[in-house]
Amino acid sequence: MDAIDLNIIELLRGNARLSYAELARQVGLSAPAVHERVGKLESSGVIRAYRAEIEPESIGLGVTALIEIIEESAADTDDVLEAFRAIPEIESCYFMAGVESFLLKARVGTIGELEALIVRLNRTPGVASTRTGIALSTKWENRPQPVGTPPA
Amino acid sequence: MDAIDLNIIELLRGNARLSYAELARQVGLSAPAVHERVGKLESSGVIRAYRAEIEPESIGLGVTALIEIIEESAADTDDVLEAFRAIPEIESCYFMAGVESFLLKARVGTIGELEALIVRLNRTPGVASTRTGIALSTKWENRPQPVGTPPA
DNA sequence: TACAGTCCGTGGACGCGATCGACCTGAACA
DNA sequence: TGTTCAGGTCGATCGCGTCCACGGACTGTA
C-alpha cells in the first residue's frame, strides 16, 4: 500500500469504470502495472466491489428509513443478525455502542411497505423494540472522502 | 425504463466494471444497444456514479459514527447544510422527520478525530446540539437489493 | 565487491471490446 | 398506405485488456 495504490483507490472511488489505460496515465505507470496493482487490491480485500450508484426513486425505492433496534437482554446477537441479513430491504447494518444494538438503513417503495418491515422487525426473535426515523430527503450518500494516511 | 433497463441496472449494481459486451450477452441485446441504454440511464440521472467500494480500515478510516443533529429553532437549514457539505468526513447526510433535523454518517481515523469533528459540528451556526453513536462494527453496507417495480 | 534471488516495473503482441456509421424493422399516426 | 421515428443489428476500425519475456533496483550472503 503505497502512494500509487492510494491514488488508484481514489480514482476508482470517483469512477469505478475508468479503464486501466486511463488509470495508468493518471498515476504514471504502464497499464499492466496498474492492472496487477488493482488485482492485488481486489484479492487482498481492500477493494470490495464495484457498484453503480442508482437513484433510488427510479427503481421504486423512494422511502428511506433508519431504524434503531433494541435487543432483548437474552437475545443471541448472531441469530438476530442472520434474521436481518435475510431481509433484503435492509441496505446497511451497523452494530452500535449504546442501548440500541443495531442501526439499520432500509429502503422501501411505500410507507405501507415500511410499516410491514417494522412489524416484521418487531416480530423477529431477540428484538425487544424498534425506533424508526424517516429520511425526508437524502442530501448525499456515500460521498468518497479524500484518502488520508493509511494505518501504520 | 423497461425490464431490460432494470436488468442492466441490477447487473451494474452487482459489478460496475462489467463490459458492455458482457452486459449485452446477459440481457440478450447487442453491445451497441446496451451502450446506448446505459448512456441514457447515465444522462437521465438514473445511474449517478460508479464507485469502487473500499474497506475503510485500509485507508485509515476505522471509526464510523452516526450523528444526529438538532437545529436551533431559528436556524437556516440551507446554511447548515452547506456547512456540513464542506466537512469531508461526512459521508452521508439525511434530512429527517422528527426532532433531529439531520442524521450524518461520518468516518474518521481515530476517536480523537471524531472528538474534533463533534466539536466542529457543535460550533456550526444553527446547530443546537448533537447526539453521536459509534458503530462498533459495520455488518454490511449499501447492499444492493433486487430491483422492484419502478414507479408508475 | 560480486552474485543470486526477488519484486516490480516496461514493452511488444494479439485478440477482444468499445464505438461509430449505415442500414433495417415495427409501431404510431396522418 | 406512406411517413416518421425509436431503437435495434451488423460490420469495420481502433484502442484496450491481458499475457509474456525481459530488465533494473534492492537485499542478503559469501
Side-chain angles (χ1 to χ4, degrees):
Chain A
M1 264 299 256
D2 59 6
I4 293 181
D5 280 338
L6 288 175
N7 202 344
I8 291 173
I9 286 172
E10 186 140 6
L11 290 166
L12 286 175
R13 286 220 291 180
N15 179 6
R17 278 182 81 81
L18 284 178
S19 68
Y20 291 115
E22 184 58 32
L23 283 171
R25 273 188 287 273
Q26 301 213 23
V27 304
L29 288 181
S30 64
V34 171
H35 186 255
E36 182 167 347
R37 278 172 178 265
V38 171
K40 284 180 184 171
L41 289 171
E42 289 170 358
S43 58
S44 69
V46 173
I47 297 178
R48 287 208 193 116
Y50 303 98
R51 299 203 182 289
E53 195 183 298
I54 306 297
E55 190 197 29
E57 293 79 13
S58 62
I59 51 172
L61 296 174
V63 177
T64 303
L66 289 125
I67 309 173
E68 290 173 335
I69 304 286
I70 298 182
E71 279 183 296
E72 290 168 357
S73 50
D76 181 326
T77 297
D78 288 344
D79 290 350
V80 174
L81 201 52
E82 284 320 300
F84 289 168
R85 201 182 294 275
I87 303 176
E89 291 89 344
I90 301 177
E91 265 191 16
S92 304
C93 173
Y94 306 93
F95 185 65
M96 303 293 289
V99 178
E100 296 88 1
S101 309
F102 293 102
L103 183 83
L104 312 178
K105 185 182 79 182
R107 247 192 255 275
V108 294
T110 64
I111 296 289
E113 287 168 37
L114 178 59
E115 179 175 342
L117 172 62
I118 293 171
V119 168
R120 179 170 177 188
L121 288 172
N122 276 301
R123 283 191 188 141
T124 299
V127 170
S129 67
T130 66
R131 198 172 77 95
T132 299
I134 292 183
L136 298 174
S137 73
T138 299
K139 297 308 181 185
W140 65 88
E141 208 169 18
N142 300 123
R143 181 176 64 160
Q145 59 176 283
V147 294
T149 317
Chain B
M1 264 299 257
D2 59 7
I4 294 181
D5 280 338
L6 288 176
N7 202 343
I8 291 173
I9 286 172
E10 185 140 7
L11 290 166
L12 286 176
R13 287 219 292 178
N15 180 6
R17 279 182 81 81
L18 284 177
S19 67
Y20 291 115
E22 183 58 31
L23 283 171
R25 273 188 287 272
Q26 300 213 24
V27 304
L29 288 181
S30 65
V34 171
H35 187 256
E36 182 167 345
R37 278 173 178 262
V38 171
K40 284 181 182 170
L41 289 171
E42 289 170 358
S43 58
S44 69
V46 173
I47 297 179
R48 285 207 194 118
Y50 303 98
R51 299 203 182 287
E53 195 184 297
I54 306 297
E55 189 197 28
E57 294 79 13
S58 62
I59 51 172
L61 296 174
V63 176
T64 303
L66 289 125
I67 308 172
E68 291 173 336
I69 304 286
I70 299 182
E71 276 183 297
E72 290 167 357
S73 50
D76 181 326
T77 296
D78 288 342
D79 290 349
V80 174
L81 201 51
E82 286 317 302
F84 290 168
R85 202 182 292 275
I87 302 176
E89 291 89 344
I90 302 176
E91 265 190 16
S92 304
C93 173
Y94 306 93
F95 185 65
M96 305 292 291
V99 178
E100 296 87 2
S101 309
F102 293 102
L103 183 82
L104 312 178
K105 185 182 79 178
R107 249 191 253 274
V108 294
T110 63
I111 296 290
E113 288 169 36
L114 178 58
E115 180 176 341
L117 173 62
I118 294 171
V119 169
R120 178 170 178 187
L121 289 172
N122 276 301
R123 282 191 189 143
T124 299
V127 170
S129 68
T130 65
R131 199 172 76 96
T132 300
I134 292 183
L136 298 173
S137 74
T138 300
K139 299 305 181 186
W140 67 86
E141 208 169 19
N142 300 125
R143 181 175 64 160
Q145 60 176 283
V147 294
T149 317

